[in-house]
Amino acid sequence: MLFGLLLAPLPGPGGLPVMLLGGILVLRNSADARRMFVRNKRRYPRVFSPVERIRLKLRERRLRKMNRG
């Protein structure tokens, strides 16, 4: 995530994907970060709705893949 913040001022969208990947890694490995994410998601649903939509799409895709093979 820090690397993404360093890339953010540079031209192009290079910082955003790096920050998103860093956020995914932090959420997968930190219970405190997950708890804070859920709390903020409930408090500010309009802000986190795009993130939740993407998360649900990826989850459905993963479940379909597991059920196929």
Side-chain angles (χ1 to χ4, degrees):
M1 285 175 42
L2 293 175
F3 187 61
L5 288 173
L6 292 174
L7 288 177
L10 297 176
L16 185 62
V18 174
M19 283 191 294
L20 289 175
L21 287 174
I24 289 169
L25 289 174
V26 169
L27 286 174
R28 283 191 173 189
N29 295 310
S30 171
D32 291 335
R34 260 191 309 270
R35 228 181 341 267
M36 189 170 58
F37 175 75
V38 170
R39 188 180 316 129
N40 284 319
K41 186 174 70 169
R42 289 179 182 157
R43 186 176 291 166
Y44 307 108
R46 289 181 68 192
V47 173
F48 287 93
S49 64
V51 175
E52 187 66 15
R53 202 171 27 243
I54 292 169
R55 191 187 69 78
L56 290 175
K57 274 186 186 179
L58 293 174
R59 182 174 185 245
E60 288 174 9
R61 186 184 304 167
R62 187 174 59 243
L63 290 175
R64 275 196 309 255
K65 191 175 182 180
M66 286 174 49
N67 288 335
R68 271 191 290 174

